[in-house]
Amino acid sequence: MSTQHEVPRQLMVDGFRVRQSFGFGGLSKNGTMTATVVLVAQGMAAMQAPAMLLVTLPVTFMVLLLAVSRRHGMSALAYYWARFAWRRATRLDANAYRRVLLPHPYALDLPGVGASSTLIKAYDPTTGKHIGVVHDRGSGRMTITTLLAPGGSLMAPTGTVQSSLRTWSSVLDAMSTDEQIKGASVTIQITPGAGEALGDDVKARTDPYAPKLARQVVDELVRTTPHATASVAPWMSVTVDPAASANPPVELPDQVAEALKVVDGIDLSGTGTDIERRATDVDLRRLVRAAYDPDVFHARDREFEELSWSECGPQAADDDWESYAHDGGVSTSWVLREMPRRPIPYSVLLPLLAPGRYQRRITLAYRVLDPYEGERVLEREISHAHNRAQATAEVKGRAKWSQRADTERAEKAAAQVAGGAQVVDWTLMVTVTARSTAELPAARQELERAIKATRGIRMRPAYGAQAAVFAAGLPLGYNPLVKD
């Protein structure tokens, strides 16, 4: 199946830029200040014991060299420090999880970043139905998930797609001015095969008086379809802080009601996205449990109704450097390293969304900055870009072309914000799950090919953070861009 198509120039997007600080010799601002303080302290200490410089200076310059060097899109110092921390955790068995029955208040919590979450079954007066709300007991934030209907806009007219993009911009604009909305994420999960759920659905809709030949054709399709198609499950999770309202609610039911009111204010109509419904507590149990054990994704609802929130997590899990082993398989997660610096089509993620042999979960997490914060960030980025170009010009006689282009991009972004655009911190995370360790190399190769097919997006494995990135793609209330 081909995933390449012609995209009109009007549907090309750009404006992606990584925040960059300014410091000496490729260091960040904080790194430069830290290096200066350390060198001054060593100079003062050397006045009393000059011989100590023979030991401290080589170590300091080695650390500075690692801080300046790059590895996998990050500083080599950050990479090796993460490697050291992971090895230390491995020696202490801190990267292994086993769910056991212990007389401890939180012994049956979900592992890792989901440990502080709990599931609340709440009544939604707007729809008259019960929904699932994930409550973070540590921060008090609430996360509400909306199930979306799988669809696309590749066959839609250019004007329709442009209108949808403008409406999405309006949605982000509304989120930027709401202090209670802390972040959001959109996840699309592609699971090969349709399983028993497809057979149940077709059986319920089959006319018993239909011609025999027609019923035989439908039965044959149901029998072969699980081997030829994939189930697509998209959802959007919004994280809300009820305490950020003018009159913070005290009681838990009031906090849930406040969170529901905020999420109900997000209008997705006109964005090209079809809303199916708010996720129920059963839906959330299915999504979380099926991520750890893909075999149960197509199971019937009654199999999830009696599960406790802790039972939705893994029975056992091992968080390795580049993989995450759990109940029903082993996964590897990748994170965004860099977006293309050229305009790209709005459908750039299509290769990642194409079905493959293995379950894949693609998550866009984002945090919309309020207008004043966004303006401050861009003004600071323009200053940093000018300073880097000026420093290079003083040393080499002229600034690099890449630095000039970076300055132009920062100034263009500032002009767009002045015209009403919003600044968004965002990232892309992809998780692919194989059924066994033996199949993991093939699953990783399939993911690498899909990333290369995007023609420009650069990603890397989530080194030492596999469990956290795995959980970030689930409706657990964890968003890596939302900070306390």
Side-chain angles (χ1 to χ4, degrees):
M1 181 181 68
S2 175
T3 58
Q4 300 298 328
H5 63 286
E6 293 295 329
V7 176
R9 182 176 297 273
Q10 305 95 299
L11 299 183
M12 304 293 284
V13 294
D14 59 1
F16 307 107
R17 188 177 179 277
V18 179
R19 290 194 191 187
Q20 300 182 40
S21 183
F22 170 70
F24 177 78
L27 291 173
S28 65
K29 179 180 179 181
N30 292 336
T32 300
M33 294 177 62
T34 301
T36 301
V37 170
V38 170
L39 290 175
V40 170
Q42 289 181 355
M44 296 177 63
M47 296 176 63
Q48 303 296 329
M52 68 176 296
L53 292 178
L54 297 176
V55 177
T56 59
L57 278 181
V59 173
T60 300
F61 284 118
M62 179 62 69
V63 172
L64 291 177
L65 179 62
L66 290 174
V68 173
S69 304
R70 309 293 294 177
R71 179 156 186 150
H72 302 294
M74 67 183 83
S75 71
L77 180 62
Y79 174 83
Y80 287 114
W81 177 257
R83 184 81 178 184
F84 168 77
W86 177 81
R87 288 186 177 277
R88 182 174 181 273
T90 302
R91 288 195 297 269
L92 298 175
D93 287 333
N95 67 324
Y97 170 81
R98 301 293 183 270
R99 190 164 71 89
V100 295
L101 297 174
L102 294 175
H104 189 278
Y106 302 133
L108 297 181
D109 283 341
L110 294 175
V113 295
S116 61
S117 68
T118 184
L119 180 62
I120 299 174
K121 183 178 181 180
Y123 176 76
D124 185 3
T126 304
T127 60
K129 299 179 180 180
H130 287 90
I131 65 170
V133 178
V134 177
H135 177 221
D136 190 314
R137 294 173 299 205
S139 64
R141 291 189 289 260
M142 307 275 184
T143 300
I144 298 174
T145 299
T146 302
L147 301 183
L148 308 176
S153 56
L154 295 180
M155 303 297 292
T158 299
T160 302
V161 178
Q162 285 182 301
S163 176
S164 298
L165 293 176
R166 284 194 297 267
T167 306
W168 266 113
S169 178
S170 300
V171 172
L172 295 178
D173 186 22
M175 294 176 64
S176 70
T177 56
D178 193 329
E179 296 181 354
Q180 293 180 271
I181 299 179
K182 298 303 179 181
S185 63
V186 176
T187 300
I188 300 178
Q189 179 171 281
I190 301 100
T191 304
E196 298 175 353
L198 176 65
D200 292 344
D201 183 62
V202 172
K203 183 178 180 180
R205 298 166 61 183
T206 299
D207 186 351
Y209 302 103
K212 182 178 180 181
L213 178 61
R215 284 187 278 113
Q216 290 177 345
V217 171
V218 171
D219 291 342
E220 179 66 17
L221 286 174
V222 171
R223 187 181 65 82
T224 58
T225 292
H227 304 284
T229 63
S231 173
V232 181
W235 65 84
M236 178 179 183
S237 298
V238 180
T239 301
V240 177
D241 185 2
S245 64
N247 297 308
V250 178
E251 301 297 330
L252 184 61
D254 296 331
Q255 294 175 3
V256 173
E258 182 69 20
L260 286 173
K261 183 175 67 175
V262 173
V263 175
D264 286 339
I266 301 176
D267 185 10
L268 297 180
S269 60
T271 61
T273 302
D274 295 328
I275 297 177
E276 186 173 327
R277 55 184 166 80
R278 294 274 187 258
T280 65
D281 56 314
V282 175
D283 293 327
L284 296 180
R285 292 190 187 99
R286 176 191 295 275
L287 293 175
V288 175
R289 181 60 197 149
Y292 291 103
D293 187 2
D295 288 332
V296 304
F297 180 79
H298 297 292
R300 296 173 175 85
D301 285 349
R302 65 172 179 268
E303 298 184 27
F304 299 96
E305 292 175 351
E306 301 300 326
L307 285 180
S308 67
W309 187 236
S310 62
E311 290 175 327
C312 297
Q315 299 288 332
D318 293 299
D319 188 8
D320 295 326
W321 181 244
E322 293 188 45
S323 63
Y324 182 53
H326 43 86
D327 290 354
V330 56
S331 301
T332 181
S333 298
W334 288 45
V335 295
L336 181 65
R337 175 175 172 178
E338 185 181 9
M339 287 294 291
R341 300 179 183 180
R342 53 177 172 77
I344 58 176
Y346 76 101
S347 55
V348 67
L349 296 181
L350 187 60
L352 285 174
L353 302 176
R357 292 176 54 197
Y358 304 97
Q359 185 186 74
R360 192 183 304 163
R361 193 163 51 252
I362 301 94
T363 300
L364 276 170
Y366 53 93
R367 181 178 70 92
V368 186
L369 279 60
D370 67 72
Y372 298 104
E373 182 185 0
E375 184 178 354
R376 289 195 302 269
V377 167
L378 288 179
E379 289 297 333
R380 186 165 57 246
E381 290 298 303
I382 291 175
S383 298
H384 290 166
H386 279 290
N387 291 337
R388 284 192 298 272
Q390 183 177 356
T392 302
E394 291 177 355
V395 175
K396 298 185 177 181
R398 65 172 181 85
K400 298 179 181 178
W401 283 108
S402 60
Q403 292 174 333
R404 295 180 184 179
D406 184 64
T407 302
E408 292 177 358
R409 285 196 298 271
E411 292 175 344
K412 180 180 178 181
Q416 292 174 337
V417 169
Q422 299 302 323
V423 180
V424 180
D425 278 343
W426 70 282
T427 188
L428 174 66
M429 299 168 285
V430 181
T431 297
V432 62
T433 299
R435 299 305 175 91
S436 65
T437 304
E439 295 182 356
L440 184 60
R444 183 183 289 112
Q445 184 181 56
E446 181 180 273
L447 176 59
E448 290 175 350
R449 288 175 177 172
I451 294 173
K452 290 179 181 178
T454 62
R455 298 185 178 183
I457 295 179
R458 302 179 67 188
M459 303 188 72
R460 62 169 176 81
Y463 297 114
Q466 290 289 320
V469 176
F470 182 95
L474 301 176
L476 294 175
Y478 171 67
N479 188 321
L481 300 180
V482 177
K483 307 298 182 182
D484 293 330

